[in-house]
Amino acid sequence: METIARGVNERVRGDRIVRAWFAAHRGLFKTPAARQAKGLEGRVFANVHRTGKHIVCELAAAPGNDSRKKTALEPDAQWIVHLGMTGRLLVTTPDAPVVAHTHARLELESGKEVRFVDPRRFGRLDFRELSGAEAFSAAGMEPLAIGAQEFATLFRGRKLPVKAALLNQRLLSGVGNIYADESLFHAGIRPRRSAGRLTKTELERLRVALKMVLEQAIRLGGSSVSDYVDAEGMRGFFQLEHCVYLRTGLPCKRCKTPIRRILLAGRGTHFCPKCQE
Ligand SMILES: [Zn+2]
């Protein structure tokens, strides 16, 4: 990742975006494509770097003819590229063949072209104006790509309930309330358990369960993967048969014990008191 961001930075720094084109797959865009295009066109790449699993392109207004401004490209917006599992950010030229699954093309003043290619569409493109609070700082790990060792490290020494840890976007990106409840059920872990006190076996069960739940959500949501990055995880998820989520008082599908609901970190939290320890 680091190599990629640096390579792009070397090639595009100081270059102005003349035109932005996006493909029609809506699931890829955390900011609507039209808004991204409008924000990108005319801006200059001030710097490209990596933050967690994201490549962040710092953008500045074009310096114009004022020589004093030329020296300081003060970023006022960001184009954030989450590569997902198969995404690539390429710097090429407009005449280079456009490969399949090219979802974004930025024409630069120098004649270069930046392209985002992602066959499996787990990637994300986001555009933000830098008005303080909007600045991108999340460094959460990608839950579909995280390995056992990394997952265990995330939770080590943390005293907060495991449910709260799952929802913490700085630890894992994009785990919504439904996914947290459902994966804890499949892992057999009580939501209130202290994250740092889970055993290695439990952590691995949780990682696998989370991955399974997210993959199922993606399958049911069709081509739109944005479902699992929704804060609430609502969209496209209704088809999924929940085991615990919003099933308060109904019999557990595994053991018939009534599902219980508690409030944890301000969120409705559902679990089976028998299956989850
Ligand atoms: Zn049960």
Side-chain angles (χ1 to χ4, degrees), residues 185 252-257 259 272-276:
F185 172 78
C252 169
K253 289 182 179 176
R254 197 177 285 160
C255 75
K256 309 283 184 239
T257 304
I259 298 300
C272 170
K274 196 173 170 195
C275 293
Q276 293 172 257

Short mmCIF file of all heavy atoms in Angstrom, two decimals, residues 185 252-257 259 272-276, ligand 1:
data_model
loop_
_atom_site.label_atom_id
_atom_site.label_comp_id
_atom_site.label_asym_id
_atom_site.label_seq_id
_atom_site.Cartn_x
_atom_site.Cartn_y
_atom_site.Cartn_z
N PHE A 185 -23.39 -13.56 17.79
CA PHE A 185 -24.21 -14.76 17.97
C PHE A 185 -23.52 -15.97 17.35
O PHE A 185 -23.36 -17.02 17.98
CB PHE A 185 -25.61 -14.58 17.35
CG PHE A 185 -26.42 -15.85 17.35
CD1 PHE A 185 -27.05 -16.29 18.51
CD2 PHE A 185 -26.53 -16.64 16.21
CE1 PHE A 185 -27.78 -17.48 18.53
CE2 PHE A 185 -27.25 -17.82 16.21
CZ PHE A 185 -27.87 -18.24 17.38
N CYS A 252 -34.70 -18.44 20.21
CA CYS A 252 -33.42 -18.58 19.51
C CYS A 252 -33.56 -19.69 18.47
O CYS A 252 -34.15 -20.73 18.74
CB CYS A 252 -32.32 -18.94 20.51
SG CYS A 252 -30.77 -19.44 19.74
N LYS A 253 -33.01 -19.45 17.29
CA LYS A 253 -33.15 -20.43 16.21
C LYS A 253 -32.36 -21.70 16.50
O LYS A 253 -32.58 -22.73 15.90
CB LYS A 253 -32.68 -19.81 14.90
CG LYS A 253 -33.66 -18.76 14.41
CD LYS A 253 -33.28 -18.14 13.09
CE LYS A 253 -34.34 -17.13 12.68
NZ LYS A 253 -33.98 -16.42 11.45
N ARG A 254 -31.44 -21.61 17.45
CA ARG A 254 -30.61 -22.77 17.74
C ARG A 254 -31.13 -23.53 18.97
O ARG A 254 -31.16 -24.75 18.98
CB ARG A 254 -29.17 -22.32 17.95
CG ARG A 254 -28.16 -23.44 17.85
CD ARG A 254 -26.74 -22.91 18.01
NE ARG A 254 -26.27 -22.20 16.82
CZ ARG A 254 -25.25 -21.33 16.82
NH1 ARG A 254 -24.63 -21.03 17.96
NH2 ARG A 254 -24.87 -20.76 15.71
N CYS A 255 -31.53 -22.78 20.02
CA CYS A 255 -31.85 -23.45 21.30
C CYS A 255 -33.22 -23.08 21.87
O CYS A 255 -33.58 -23.55 22.94
CB CYS A 255 -30.77 -23.14 22.32
SG CYS A 255 -30.92 -21.45 22.97
N LYS A 256 -33.97 -22.26 21.17
CA LYS A 256 -35.34 -21.88 21.57
C LYS A 256 -35.43 -20.93 22.78
O LYS A 256 -36.51 -20.52 23.18
CB LYS A 256 -36.23 -23.11 21.84
CG LYS A 256 -36.23 -24.16 20.73
CD LYS A 256 -37.11 -23.73 19.57
CE LYS A 256 -37.21 -24.82 18.50
NZ LYS A 256 -36.74 -24.33 17.20
N THR A 257 -34.31 -20.58 23.39
CA THR A 257 -34.32 -19.61 24.49
C THR A 257 -34.72 -18.25 23.93
O THR A 257 -34.24 -17.87 22.85
CB THR A 257 -32.91 -19.52 25.12
OG1 THR A 257 -32.50 -20.82 25.51
CG2 THR A 257 -32.89 -18.58 26.32
N ILE A 259 -34.70 -14.54 22.85
CA ILE A 259 -33.61 -13.59 22.58
C ILE A 259 -33.78 -12.38 23.48
O ILE A 259 -34.89 -11.90 23.69
CB ILE A 259 -33.64 -13.15 21.09
CG1 ILE A 259 -33.41 -14.36 20.17
CG2 ILE A 259 -32.61 -12.05 20.81
CD1 ILE A 259 -32.09 -15.08 20.37
N CYS A 272 -28.53 -14.28 22.45
CA CYS A 272 -29.15 -15.44 23.08
C CYS A 272 -28.38 -15.72 24.37
O CYS A 272 -27.19 -16.00 24.33
CB CYS A 272 -29.07 -16.66 22.17
SG CYS A 272 -29.57 -18.17 23.05
N PRO A 273 -29.10 -15.66 25.53
CA PRO A 273 -28.40 -15.84 26.80
C PRO A 273 -27.85 -17.26 26.99
O PRO A 273 -27.00 -17.47 27.85
CB PRO A 273 -29.47 -15.53 27.85
CG PRO A 273 -30.77 -15.59 27.14
CD PRO A 273 -30.51 -15.35 25.68
N LYS A 274 -28.31 -18.19 26.19
CA LYS A 274 -27.80 -19.56 26.34
C LYS A 274 -26.65 -19.87 25.35
O LYS A 274 -25.65 -20.44 25.75
CB LYS A 274 -28.94 -20.57 26.15
CG LYS A 274 -28.58 -21.95 26.66
CD LYS A 274 -29.77 -22.88 26.62
CE LYS A 274 -29.32 -24.29 26.92
NZ LYS A 274 -30.36 -25.27 26.54
N CYS A 275 -26.84 -19.48 24.10
CA CYS A 275 -25.83 -19.79 23.09
C CYS A 275 -24.58 -18.91 23.20
O CYS A 275 -23.51 -19.26 22.72
CB CYS A 275 -26.40 -19.63 21.69
SG CYS A 275 -27.67 -20.82 21.29
N GLN A 276 -24.74 -17.74 23.79
CA GLN A 276 -23.62 -16.81 23.85
C GLN A 276 -23.11 -16.68 25.29
O GLN A 276 -23.87 -16.34 26.19
CB GLN A 276 -24.03 -15.43 23.31
CG GLN A 276 -24.33 -15.48 21.82
CD GLN A 276 -24.93 -14.20 21.29
OE1 GLN A 276 -26.13 -14.13 21.05
NE2 GLN A 276 -24.09 -13.19 21.07
ZN ZN B 1 -29.68 -19.93 21.68
#
